[in-house]
Amino acid sequence: MAQNLYITATSPKSGKSIVALGLMEMTFRSTEKVGFFRPIIAGNRNDPTPDRDITLIREYFNLDIEYNESFAYTISEANDLISSDREAELIDGILDKYRELEKRFDFILIEGTDFEGITSAFEFDINADIALNLNAPLLIIQNGKSQEPDNILANIRIAIESFEDRGLFVLGTIINRVEPVHIEDLRLKLDVEFEKSPTVFYTMPENEILGNPALSDIVAATNAKVLFGHDQLHWHAHHYIVAAMQLRNFIPALKDGALVITPWDRADIILGALTSAKSIDHPKVAGIVLTGGRAPEDSIMGLISGLTDTVPIMCIDRDTYSVAEQMREIEATVSPTDNRMVATALGTFNSCIDTAQLAEKIKVARSEKITPKMFEYRIIEAARAVQKHIVLPEGNEDRILQAAEILRRRDVVKITLLGNKNEIRKRISLLHLSKLDDVNIINPVESELLEDYAQAYFEARRHKGITLDRARDTISDVSYFATMMVQKGHADGMVSGSVNTTQHTIRPAFEFVRTKPGISIVSSVFFMCLPDKVLVYGDCAVNPNPTAEQLAEIAIASSETAASFNIEPRVAMLSYSTGASGKGEEVEKVREATRIARERAPELKIEGPIQYDAAVEPSVAATKMPNSEVAGKATVLIFPDLNTGNNTYKAVQRSANAVAIGPVLQGLNKPVNDLSRGCTVPDIVNTIAITAIQAGNQSS
């Protein structure tokens, strides 16, 4: 079983970091402890700007590894050692660093050098030597940008033969940044050329977002001073326009996503570009670069300061020609905090790479432990497999839109947004969420479905004295309209609550979606993702003080939810007492709930009453309840009331640095889920994915 993989490029700007990101995500799906190591990095050891690939992988995957542990040498240090005939010392130093990581990780992804500032021959030799001494299979990354298939094929052939001549096993080759028009031809040629080769081959097309630098990349590369638009530096420059002409000639030359380069004193060009960005009929520039090192005069600065959502404006202390030349050399990078860029990278990787085949080739050791990242990845994969339709009532909320675009980029779910179409389209444009350009948007008050939904609501609530006019007014509310979409089968699930209250979100479901047959209450669970396992907490969000009968229902429903997410349910009915040691009304309620649950689900592994420590800690369980099949290894923990459950989940979340995913509602006939108003974009992504999985489970 291979414990590592070495990825190396054959030329600069191959998109190696994109491949590394995809490989790490792929590996985390099945492996608990994954490390990342770069034997040699560019730059200087004391450089205030850390290696971008190490930063990306460490921060995005929250790796338990210090920055200085992630590499052995800088390229200048390595070159000095080789030049002074101390190559053995170089390899020994790399092996020492690697072996320290090997003690802590089940799998280590090793990324080779960057082809920056030294010869290709040097890089080939050093990468081959390192991979050979680490006994690592090789994955070659080939840059196919602006190359014909025959030329790409020749380069691949030479690279594979050269590495194999050095005694390396070339596991696979990824040809990245291939012009889309050449993809099919290249694949056919690869099949013919390497028909009997054990090496696997994949092609990834050139992607405009991944290939074009963000404005933050440009600022970092040029030391530009940002005058306006500091919060929009994640936008990408798709074109460069040097504006030296008159305004009437400049406007027709503009393109969407263009970065305008112009001298600082060209107020007409500056204001023309800003006006175009605000106009619904003209291209929206990505930003403006002012050359000459000065800001515009005070009157122009004052005018710009009064604008809202201003595109980034920066100034660089060099002439226009040299700035324009430098722009063309700036390479796009992926920031761990740029959710859109990361989602695009991972979506492209997963759509182009047969990850199951590649994982089998790598032979990664399996683990029964589940980390938060592994659980999140499994959620995304499971949701992608069922391809459900989720409606989001809070369509004009930025976090909802950003989460929706991430899910669209990764092809996880179909999305419908509710709200004012013009307002939502404006937010999508201002946030540059291009994957939502064609998203389905419904304004309930303008929808042709309104009358049908109003009639359905009237029929469901007429016994409560609701009139048809009142039903029409009620169903115009986005939460009611969205829930009725789910009830009618026009959507598979609904997620809300980022700005609306819990009551506003789930009340419509209580009124007409109602509970499944045999279930009297709606309850909730949180998936508590601890460093090495995932626990299910119920009920921490809905029922203030459930009866014994209701508590038994919550336990059974929570066990079914756990099982549906591949968590073996071992249920602990929590109390301040373990076994028969304690007495009191609350303990008796838990004892009775346990009895009812066992009676209704005799196959369920359940224990109660039991204290939290005895439920999860084997050493405590050995003393308090030694013969239990649940104590010490519980996976589903049922709290006796909302006060206890809500406080406990928040305490664990904050004190243990756990990832809390939820609340996930259970017991309803259709999947409807509530968000916390303090939720982050990743929280929303996870909740939507879980809702899709619930919908898939109900339809299967």
Side-chain angles (χ1 to χ4, degrees):
M1 301 289 284
Q3 296 180 345
N4 55 19
L5 177 69
Y6 196 108
I7 59 173
T8 182
T10 58
S11 62
K13 299 182 181 180
S14 64
K16 181 159 48 67
S17 59
I18 305 300
V19 174
L21 192 70
L23 287 169
M24 289 294 289
E25 185 203 47
M26 181 191 80
T27 308
F28 263 118
R29 294 171 192 159
S30 57
T31 304
E32 179 199 357
K33 296 179 181 179
V34 182
F36 183 74
F37 181 58
R38 298 205 66 190
I40 301 172
I41 63 171
N44 299 313
R45 185 170 294 273
N46 298 320
D47 194 329
T49 304
D51 180 81
R52 63 194 181 195
D53 288 359
I54 292 177
T55 300
L56 168 65
I57 300 300
R58 281 183 67 244
E59 294 185 10
Y60 183 74
F61 295 99
N62 194 27
L63 297 187
D64 180 22
I65 181 172
E66 296 298 325
Y67 176 76
N68 288 332
E69 294 176 313
S70 303
F71 72 96
Y73 296 101
T74 67
I75 194 66
S76 59
E77 291 169 344
N79 208 6
D80 288 343
L81 287 171
I82 292 172
S83 300
S84 57
D85 201 26
R86 296 159 61 195
E87 187 170 350
E89 183 178 333
L90 171 71
I91 298 299
D92 286 343
I94 291 170
L95 285 171
D96 288 342
K97 271 292 186 76
Y98 176 81
R99 285 170 181 153
E100 286 301 309
L101 295 180
E102 199 174 34
K103 296 174 184 176
R104 296 161 47 197
F105 298 98
D106 299 324
F107 178 86
I108 301 173
L109 181 65
I110 310 158
E111 181 183 333
T113 54
D114 291 324
F115 285 81
E116 291 182 0
I118 52 178
T119 65
S120 296
F122 175 90
E123 298 231 15
F124 170 82
D125 287 339
I126 196 64
N127 283 301
D129 285 345
I130 295 169
L132 192 62
N133 282 281
L134 294 179
N135 195 27
L138 206 63
L139 183 66
I140 300 171
I141 316 301
Q142 171 77 31
N143 187 350
K145 183 175 175 60
S146 303
Q147 294 190 54
E148 296 292 325
D150 287 339
N151 189 41
I152 295 172
L153 205 64
N155 290 335
I156 292 171
R157 189 186 308 113
I158 292 170
I160 291 175
E161 289 176 355
S162 299
F163 282 118
E164 288 180 342
D165 286 345
R166 298 290 293 267
L168 289 160
F169 171 57
V170 180
L171 179 147
T173 298
I174 295 177
I175 306 101
N176 193 18
R177 308 191 68 181
V178 181
E179 301 298 337
V181 69
H182 295 323
I183 288 283
E184 288 304 318
D185 187 24
L186 178 58
R187 286 175 179 167
L188 290 173
K189 291 179 183 294
L190 287 167
D191 288 342
V192 173
E193 176 76 14
F194 298 100
E195 181 181 4
K196 298 180 181 180
S197 172
T199 302
V200 291
F201 295 88
Y202 307 101
T203 56
M204 294 173 59
E206 172 74 338
N207 184 292
E208 192 172 65
I209 291 178
L210 299 176
N212 294 319
L215 299 190
S216 56
D217 295 329
I218 292 171
V219 171
T222 62
N223 293 317
K225 179 181 178 181
V226 181
L227 304 177
F228 298 96
H230 293 77
D231 58 343
Q232 310 293 352
L233 295 177
H234 60 282
W235 292 357
H236 290 256
H238 299 289
H239 313 280
Y240 300 100
I241 295 178
V242 177
M245 68 288 284
Q246 293 186 13
L247 182 62
R248 65 174 179 270
N249 298 318
F250 164 70
I251 295 298
L254 277 176
K255 298 178 181 178
D256 273 328
L259 183 65
V260 178
I261 304 168
T262 193
W264 67 271
D265 58 354
R266 288 299 301 271
D268 57 334
I269 296 296
I270 298 169
L271 297 179
L274 291 174
T275 303
S276 180
K278 293 287 185 180
S279 172
I280 61 173
D281 298 322
H282 285 74
K284 294 173 175 57
V285 301
I288 303 170
V289 172
L290 305 179
T291 61
R294 293 180 59 182
E297 52 256 39
D298 291 345
S299 59
I300 301 301
M301 290 289 286
L303 187 60
I304 299 172
S305 297
L307 299 175
T308 58
D309 293 319
T310 304
V311 301
I313 302 176
M314 60 196 84
C315 62
I316 300 175
D317 190 15
R318 286 197 302 282
D319 64 274
T320 303
Y321 177 81
S322 61
V323 168
E325 285 294 302
Q326 185 180 9
M327 291 296 169
R328 295 183 177 90
E329 297 301 316
I330 297 173
E331 186 177 356
T333 61
V334 182
S335 166
T337 58
D338 189 340
N339 291 328
R340 182 189 183 207
M341 188 81 157
V342 171
T344 301
L346 293 176
T348 301
F349 183 90
N350 287 319
S351 65
C352 297
I353 308 300
D354 185 341
T355 54
Q357 179 193 47
L358 186 56
E360 180 62 24
K361 292 285 290 185
I362 298 171
K363 301 183 186 302
V364 177
R366 300 289 174 179
S367 171
E368 293 183 358
K369 294 183 178 181
I370 305 175
T371 66
K373 276 294 182 185
M374 288 169 63
F375 187 68
E376 290 177 0
Y377 298 148
R378 291 180 184 183
I379 288 172
I380 294 296
E381 289 299 310
R384 183 188 289 117
V386 294
Q387 285 293 304
K388 292 300 179 178
H389 177 192
I390 307 300
V391 58
L392 306 175
E394 299 162 326
N396 58 351
E397 161 61 28
D398 287 358
R399 289 169 296 166
I400 293 290
L401 294 174
Q402 290 162 349
E405 202 214 25
I406 288 171
L407 290 162
R408 285 285 296 272
R409 285 191 177 281
R410 302 192 66 178
D411 192 28
V412 177
V413 293
K414 299 174 184 176
I415 296 289
T416 289
L417 302 171
L418 299 189
N420 183 288
K421 292 184 180 180
N422 290 333
E423 291 179 3
I424 293 173
R425 291 289 179 204
K426 181 179 179 181
R427 293 310 306 165
I428 289 171
S429 176
L430 289 172
L431 294 168
H432 287 231
L433 304 176
S434 59
K435 272 294 182 179
L436 296 183
D437 286 345
D438 61 346
V439 72
N440 185 38
I441 302 174
I442 297 176
N443 188 340
V445 298
E446 298 174 352
S447 173
E448 60 186 18
L449 298 170
L450 183 64
E451 284 302 317
D452 179 43
Y453 286 6
Q455 185 66 40
Y457 182 70
F458 169 67
E459 296 295 337
R461 302 294 289 174
R462 66 192 306 175
H463 66 286
K464 294 289 186 179
I466 294 292
T467 65
L468 186 56
D469 285 342
R470 176 73 178 277
R472 190 177 293 109
D473 290 340
T474 301
I475 211 70
S476 298
D477 178 87
V478 289
S479 288
Y480 277 86
F481 191 93
T483 307
M484 188 61 78
M485 283 185 70
V486 178
Q487 176 69 3
K488 285 279 194 176
H490 298 153
D492 299 308
M494 187 269 273
V495 173
S496 187
S498 67
V499 291
N500 290 317
T501 64
T502 295
Q503 183 179 19
H504 190 198
T505 297
I506 66 178
R507 183 176 179 179
F510 288 169
E511 289 186 3
F512 56 85
V513 172
R514 301 194 179 96
T515 58
K516 296 176 182 177
I519 295 179
S520 64
I521 61 167
V522 175
S523 60
S524 72
V525 297
F526 278 89
F527 291 102
M528 300 300 295
C529 300
L530 299 167
D532 61 350
K533 59 187 173 183
V534 176
L535 300 177
V536 177
Y537 282 11
D539 169 12
C540 304
V542 179
N543 297 286
N545 191 23
T547 65
E549 183 93 7
Q550 292 171 332
L551 208 55
E553 277 194 21
I554 292 169
I556 294 170
S558 299
S559 70
E560 291 172 350
T561 298
S564 69
F565 286 87
N566 297 315
I567 298 171
E568 182 185 352
R570 294 187 290 270
V571 183
M573 306 293 285
L574 298 176
S575 176
Y576 58 79
S577 171
T578 295
S581 65
K583 298 185 183 300
E585 183 179 344
E586 290 303 310
V587 176
E588 291 305 320
K589 181 179 79 168
V590 174
R591 186 172 285 120
E592 176 64 8
T594 305
R595 184 194 67 77
I596 295 170
R598 282 174 174 156
E599 185 177 276
R600 292 185 179 179
E603 75 289 348
L604 186 61
K605 295 177 181 178
I606 186 169
E607 195 70 72
I610 186 172
Q611 292 162 290
Y612 191 100
D613 58 350
V616 300
E617 176 52 50
S619 62
V620 177
T623 301
K624 293 188 174 183
M625 199 168 276
N627 299 317
S628 172
E629 60 181 350
V630 172
K633 46 184 179 289
T635 57
V636 180
L637 297 109
I638 306 302
F639 294 89
D641 54 59
L642 183 60
N643 182 52
T644 306
N646 193 266
N647 277 299
T648 302
Y649 108 74
K650 288 182 178 178
V652 172
Q653 180 187 27
R654 301 302 177 186
S655 301
N657 197 27
V659 176
I661 301 176
V664 177
L665 299 185
Q666 54 192 14
L668 287 167
N669 273 312
K670 304 278 187 176
V672 170
N673 280 310
D674 180 37
L675 297 163
S676 163
R677 275 171 282 177
C679 63
T680 64
V681 171
D683 292 336
I684 300 169
V685 169
N686 288 333
T687 302
I688 293 173
I690 284 174
T691 306
I693 295 169
Q694 288 180 308
N697 291 335
Q698 289 189 354
S699 61
S700 60

